[in-house]
Amino acid sequence: MSESLFTRLVSYSQNPNKRSIENFLTEVIAHLVNTDKTFRQKFVELLIPDRRVRRHFKRASALPQQTLGRGIVDMVLEGSTGKVFVEVKVGARETETKIYGRGKVLQVQKYLSYRAGYVAYLTTRNVPSPTVNSKFFLGHFLLEALHGRLNRNRLTPTGQLLLEFMEENDMKALEPFTKTDLRNAAHSFNFVQKCESVLDEVASAVEPEVKKIFHKQTAFMSGYFSPKYKVAYSAIRNFSYRDANELCLFLEPWEEEVGFGVSASVTKEYMHRVNRHLEWEEYRSELYSWHQLKPGIGPAALVKVALRDLHALKTALDRA
């Protein structure tokens, strides 16, 4: 007879000084994947952006705390023709384990080395992305983004309790930009923090698509606000594609407006040839799109804008 959710939860540490949030969260997520159709759909959509892969996980089941090689992975998502190994982190970095002949290896890279299926990294937004290069790495996904995808009224009672738990433990989705946010953008420290968090969420959602668009196994760095240039940005590590060698997403207060866009560094020799297909703004060796933020816009809408601009940039670089 299989263990119930509550039997598994009570097995974790009862030490009041030790909070087993990751274990608790993983157990409940796995339970909901198996029992709540709405939750399973949204969870699978988040972790598997590629529709061709996702169709094999339409009726996926989940198992928490499964042995993989010489370690234990937080959760295994089982589809009709494959598996996704999900590593969950709440406010903590990847841990390292020693592997004979390879020294210390970070968790995501270790799971990928077993070649047993896809690997996904599910964390809070304050956790840095892993640096890996594999077509089997689905991406770095945020618990806050999962929260934002869930409709409380369509979930089972257990799913609703999970939402409350996430809200109580700082895993809540970001609120859309308000009039006050935008009006005080240039002078508000809270706005700076919000920009960094928004860019982390947008970059997490965009990253798997960027890998397909530019055929690069790369990752975005965490959002950062530059006091010198008064702009928040999230750049891709070591990006290079045709005549572009830098790429980032940005949010920038400018006079009475706040702009969002994609920025690419292109040599002056090719600037005109690339930009004739884009008609973006130009500054020195930088080409960038600019979309004025309106009150009520949130990360999900910015993801769509970023993907549209990234596709346009790729087309322009190919045609230049």
Side-chain angles (χ1 to χ4, degrees), residues 139-183:
H140 180 191
F141 307 99
L142 303 183
L143 287 158
E144 293 88 351
L146 174 63
H147 177 279
R149 286 171 176 257
L150 299 173
N151 183 333
R152 192 182 307 271
N153 296 326
R154 297 188 61 192
L155 294 173
T156 60
T158 305
Q160 294 172 9
L161 287 172
L162 174 64
L163 278 185
E164 293 178 9
F165 173 81
M166 295 176 77
E167 290 159 5
E168 292 167 357
N169 288 276
D170 298 323
M171 302 176 209
K172 185 179 179 181
L174 290 166
E175 298 292 336
F177 286 102
T178 65
K179 288 183 179 180
T180 302
D181 285 334
L182 301 180
R183 185 170 59 246

Side-chain angles (χ1 to χ4, degrees), residues 33-72:
V33 168
N34 295 331
T35 61
D36 188 325
K37 182 178 178 181
T38 297
F39 181 90
R40 178 173 65 244
Q41 177 187 348
K42 297 300 180 182
F43 185 71
V44 171
E45 286 177 357
L46 175 71
L47 257 60
I48 309 177
D50 190 325
R51 293 183 180 181
R52 294 169 299 177
V53 177
R54 193 164 68 221
R55 65 172 178 245
H56 300 294
F57 290 84
K58 187 176 181 180
R59 295 179 177 84
S61 59
L63 294 168
Q65 305 299 321
Q66 297 297 297
T67 299
L68 180 60
R70 295 186 177 181
I72 296 178

Side-chain angles (χ1 to χ4, degrees), residues 11 220 227:
S11 69
F220 282 93

Side-chain angles (χ1 to χ4, degrees), residues 111-224:
Y111 297 146
L112 286 166
S113 71
Y114 292 127
R115 299 183 180 179
Y118 295 98
V119 176
Y121 198 43
L122 180 64
T123 79
T124 47
R125 70 167 62 91
N126 56 349
V127 176
S129 296
T131 304
V132 294
N133 184 4
S134 171
K135 64 180 180 180
F136 292 101
F137 180 56
L138 295 175
H140 180 191
F141 307 99
L142 303 183
L143 287 158
E144 293 88 351
L146 174 63
H147 177 279
R149 286 171 176 257
L150 299 173
N151 183 333
R152 192 182 307 271
N153 296 326
R154 297 188 61 192
L155 294 173
T156 60
T158 305
Q160 294 172 9
L161 287 172
L162 174 64
L163 278 185
E164 293 178 9
F165 173 81
M166 295 176 77
E167 290 159 5
E168 292 167 357
N169 288 276
D170 298 323
M171 302 176 209
K172 185 179 179 181
L174 290 166
E175 298 292 336
F177 286 102
T178 65
K179 288 183 179 180
T180 302
D181 285 334
L182 301 180
R183 185 170 59 246
N184 301 326
H187 310 288
S188 171
F189 180 73
N190 288 334
F191 183 77
V192 169
Q193 292 182 310
K194 187 167 186 175
C195 281
E196 292 175 343
S197 296
V198 166
L199 287 175
D200 284 343
E201 197 161 316
V202 173
S204 171
V206 165
E207 187 175 292
E209 191 68 19
V210 168
K211 293 178 179 180
K212 290 195 296 183
I213 294 172
F214 295 102
H215 308 292
K216 300 284 185 180
Q217 295 298 324
T218 186
F220 282 93
M221 293 184 286
S222 297
Y224 172 74

Side-chain angles (χ1 to χ4, degrees), residues 253-311:
W254 180 258
E255 297 180 348
E256 301 301 318
E257 300 177 353
V258 177
F260 169 78
V262 171
S263 169
S265 180
V266 179
T267 59
K268 287 190 176 182
E269 180 183 356
Y270 297 100
M271 180 76 73
H272 174 70
R273 289 169 56 179
V274 175
N275 203 25
R276 66 184 177 181
H277 304 294
L278 288 171
E279 298 183 354
W280 285 4
E281 301 291 331
E282 298 182 14
Y283 179 72
R284 295 181 179 174
S285 64
E286 181 184 7
L287 278 177
Y288 63 93
S289 60
W290 176 275
H291 307 277
Q292 183 181 349
L293 294 192
K294 301 293 184 182
I297 194 168
L302 295 181
V303 169
K304 295 179 181 179
V305 173
L307 289 176
R308 186 172 64 243
D309 285 351
L310 288 163
H311 278 286

